Amino acid sequence: MPRHIVCLTFDFDTASGFIARGLTTPTPLSRGEFGRIGARRILELLKRYDAPGTWFTPGFTIESFPAECEAIVAAGHEIGHHSWAHVPPASQSRAEEEADMARAIESIVKLTGAAPRGYRSPSWDLSDATIELLVANGFDYDSSLMGADYEPYKARNGDRGKVGEPFHFGRETDLMEMPISWTMDDHPHFEFYRTPDFLMPGLQSPRAVMESWKDEFTYMKKITDWGILTYTMHPYVIGRGYRMLAFEGLMDFLGSEGAVFLTMADAAREARARLFP
Ligand SMILES: [Zn+2]
C-alpha cells in the first residue's frame, strides 16, 4: 500500500537570525517577535488538522519566549535542535560550534526533559565538523542537506569539493539525513530582506507558491510508492494572515490526497527501518 509522508517543519527563529546578522535595531527585532503570533496561529491550525509538527527552535527562542515554547511541547510536537544563537556553523570555529551545540541541547533538555533527536543548521550551511559533532552527541538525524528529495539517506562526513578535482565522497555515518530544499522553504519566497550589499525581494503570492508545493507532493506520489516530503516554514514568515490562508489550502489538499503527517523524528525512524534494515 502506498504511503506518502509529509513533515511539516517550523524553524522557530524569532529574532535570533536577525541578531546573528547584526540587525539589532528595534524594527528587525520586532520582525522576529512576530513569530510569537505566528506560532500561536500555527499551533491552532495543526490542532485543527490533527497534524504533528517539528519545531527547530534555537536556544535563544526557548529562553526568550518560554510560554510559546511550552505550548508547542504541551501540544505534543517535536522540538528539534537549531543552534542556540542561529550563527551558521560554517562561520564558527569548531570550539565555538561545539559550545553553542551543547548550550542548545541544554536548553531543549530543560524545556522537554529529553535531548533532541534531530538537528537543522541555521541558514542550512554545515561546517566540516558538524556531522562528526552530531554523531558524537547521539543525534538520530540531520535536516540540512539537499542531496535527495523524497528519500532520506545516510549523512557523510568529509565530503570535499575542489576546483579541478572530481567530487570527493566522505565516509558514510549512521546519521539519517532528512533532505530539504530552498524551494520548499517559505523564507526566500516571502521574506523581503535588504542589507547594503544584498537584496532578497520575497513578497510572492502565497497561493502561487502553494501551487508549487502541492505539485511537489503530486510528483512524489506519481513516481514513488513511499516517500517523505519536507516543508519548511518560519512562524514570523508564514504567520501573516494571507499566508496562513494559503497554508490552510495546502493542508486541505494534502489531506484530500492522503498525506500521512509525521514528526521528523518519527519519519526518520521509519526511513531507517525501511531503507537500512
Ligand atoms: Zn533558522
Side-chain angles (χ1 to χ4, degrees):
M1 185 142 142
R3 185 167 159 88
H4 298 101
I5 296 163
V6 165
C7 289
L8 300 169
T9 67
F10 304 92
D11 295 1
F12 195 14
D13 297 344
T14 60
S16 61
F18 294 98
I19 296 169
R21 290 191 287 265
L23 298 168
T24 54
T25 50
T27 301
L29 293 179
S30 74
R31 275 174 81 172
E33 184 188 339
F34 184 76
R36 308 166 87 167
I37 294 176
R40 252 178 261 147
R41 292 176 179 168
I42 293 164
L43 279 179
E44 187 278 322
L45 182 143
L46 294 179
K47 189 175 175 189
R48 204 155 16 96
Y49 287 87
D50 196 20
T54 298
W55 298 65
F56 291 99
T57 307
F60 167 87
T61 298
I62 294 173
E63 293 187 25
S64 307
F65 303 102
E68 285 75 9
C69 295
E70 281 159 19
I72 294 166
V73 176
H77 302 296
E78 176 190 4
I79 301 284
H81 192 297
H82 195 41
S83 83
W84 198 97
H86 211 280
V87 175
S91 67
Q92 291 175 306
S93 70
R94 187 190 167 104
E96 286 168 345
E97 181 178 2
E98 205 168 1
D100 181 275
M101 190 180 282
R103 190 179 175 196
I105 291 174
E106 224 171 89
S107 297
I108 292 174
V109 169
K110 264 190 220 151
L111 173 67
T112 68
R117 304 307 309 138
Y119 172 85
R120 172 173 285 166
S121 71
S123 308
W124 282 339
D125 198 6
L126 301 183
S127 77
D128 288 344
T130 309
I131 299 291
E132 200 182 316
L133 291 174
L134 294 176
V135 171
N137 279 286
F139 279 87
D140 187 45
Y141 72 87
D142 169 63
S143 181
S144 313
L145 297 174
M146 312 187 187
D149 41 19
Y150 316 129
E151 197 164 290
Y153 58 102
K154 295 274 187 88
R156 293 182 305 269
N157 189 26
D159 283 2
R160 296 273 180 277
K162 207 173 165 192
V163 175
E165 291 182 11
F167 186 66
H168 173 79
F169 289 92
R171 201 167 37 84
E172 199 175 273
T173 70
D174 200 38
L175 191 72
M176 290 301 304
E177 180 57 44
M178 305 298 284
I180 44 77
S181 161
W182 287 113
T183 59
M184 297 294 119
D185 182 330
D186 62 353
H187 203 276
H189 297 301
F190 299 140
E191 209 50 18
F192 173 80
Y193 179 64
R194 185 177 53 191
T195 65
D197 53 1
F198 182 75
L199 173 74
M200 192 162 82
L203 304 180
Q204 288 188 51
S205 156
R207 287 180 195 272
V209 172
M210 292 303 152
E211 285 310 304
S212 301
W213 286 18
K214 290 173 190 172
D215 283 349
E216 188 74 7
F217 184 81
T218 300
Y219 187 73
M220 174 171 78
K221 267 182 86 169
K222 189 175 164 152
I223 67 158
T224 177
D225 278 345
W226 181 93
I228 300 173
L229 175 57
T230 296
Y231 296 109
T232 297
M233 288 163 271
H234 299 70
Y236 76 82
V237 178
I238 200 76
R240 298 282 167 185
Y242 70 120
R243 295 177 187 152
M244 287 303 293
L245 265 188
F247 179 24
E248 255 186 65
L250 173 70
M251 292 299 288
D252 287 336
F253 170 82
L254 292 170
S256 70
E257 288 292 310
V260 177
F261 296 102
L262 293 183
T263 63
M264 194 161 257
D266 285 345
R269 199 173 299 124
E270 179 167 329
R272 185 185 291 283
R274 183 186 175 98
L275 304 171
F276 305 97

mmCIF file of all heavy atoms in Angstrom, residues 11 13 82 86 122-123 234, ligand 1:
data_model
loop_
_atom_site.group_PDB
_atom_site.id
_atom_site.type_symbol
_atom_site.label_atom_id
_atom_site.label_comp_id
_atom_site.label_asym_id
_atom_site.label_seq_id
_atom_site.Cartn_x
_atom_site.Cartn_y
_atom_site.Cartn_z
ATOM 1 N N ASP A 11 10.901 26.443 11.608
ATOM 2 C CA ASP A 11 12.127 26.957 12.221
ATOM 3 C C ASP A 11 11.725 28.187 13.035
ATOM 4 O O ASP A 11 11.461 29.264 12.478
ATOM 5 C CB ASP A 11 13.159 27.300 11.142
ATOM 6 C CG ASP A 11 13.620 26.041 10.399
ATOM 7 O OD1 ASP A 11 13.121 24.937 10.720
ATOM 8 O OD2 ASP A 11 14.479 26.165 9.505
ATOM 9 N N ASP A 13 12.746 30.708 14.685
ATOM 10 C CA ASP A 13 13.928 31.559 14.901
ATOM 11 C C ASP A 13 13.643 32.779 15.766
ATOM 12 O O ASP A 13 14.535 33.294 16.430
ATOM 13 C CB ASP A 13 14.459 32.062 13.545
ATOM 14 C CG ASP A 13 14.929 30.929 12.655
ATOM 15 O OD1 ASP A 13 15.141 29.816 13.153
ATOM 16 O OD2 ASP A 13 15.075 31.172 11.435
ATOM 17 N N HIS A 82 18.303 23.690 16.719
ATOM 18 C CA HIS A 82 18.536 24.666 15.638
ATOM 19 C C HIS A 82 19.564 25.689 16.113
ATOM 20 O O HIS A 82 19.409 26.872 15.876
ATOM 21 C CB HIS A 82 17.200 25.329 15.269
ATOM 22 C CG HIS A 82 17.189 26.083 13.972
ATOM 23 N ND1 HIS A 82 17.793 25.634 12.828
ATOM 24 C CD2 HIS A 82 16.624 27.279 13.633
ATOM 25 C CE1 HIS A 82 17.607 26.516 11.850
ATOM 26 N NE2 HIS A 82 16.911 27.523 12.315
ATOM 27 N N HIS A 86 21.761 30.851 16.420
ATOM 28 C CA HIS A 86 21.492 30.960 14.983
ATOM 29 C C HIS A 86 22.669 31.527 14.191
ATOM 30 O O HIS A 86 22.495 32.221 13.182
ATOM 31 C CB HIS A 86 20.228 31.790 14.712
ATOM 32 C CG HIS A 86 19.493 31.353 13.474
ATOM 33 N ND1 HIS A 86 19.884 31.723 12.208
ATOM 34 C CD2 HIS A 86 18.427 30.544 13.295
ATOM 35 C CE1 HIS A 86 19.073 31.192 11.320
ATOM 36 N NE2 HIS A 86 18.183 30.453 11.956
ATOM 37 N N PRO A 122 21.408 26.462 11.273
ATOM 38 C CA PRO A 122 20.955 27.793 10.897
ATOM 39 C C PRO A 122 21.466 28.118 9.500
ATOM 40 O O PRO A 122 22.638 27.889 9.210
ATOM 41 C CB PRO A 122 21.590 28.720 11.939
ATOM 42 C CG PRO A 122 22.350 27.872 12.884
ATOM 43 C CD PRO A 122 22.327 26.462 12.419
ATOM 44 N N SER A 123 20.603 28.621 8.658
ATOM 45 C CA SER A 123 20.931 29.007 7.277
ATOM 46 C C SER A 123 21.385 27.827 6.411
ATOM 47 O O SER A 123 21.886 28.025 5.303
ATOM 48 C CB SER A 123 21.991 30.115 7.228
ATOM 49 O OG SER A 123 21.616 31.187 8.052
ATOM 50 N N HIS A 234 8.653 29.347 8.693
ATOM 51 C CA HIS A 234 9.080 30.155 9.840
ATOM 52 C C HIS A 234 7.856 30.886 10.374
ATOM 53 O O HIS A 234 7.190 31.601 9.595
ATOM 54 C CB HIS A 234 10.135 31.182 9.403
ATOM 55 C CG HIS A 234 11.386 30.556 8.847
ATOM 56 N ND1 HIS A 234 11.410 29.915 7.627
ATOM 57 C CD2 HIS A 234 12.632 30.452 9.363
ATOM 58 C CE1 HIS A 234 12.639 29.444 7.419
ATOM 59 N NE2 HIS A 234 13.393 29.758 8.450
HETATM 60 ZN ZN ZN B 1 16.565 29.307 11.302
#
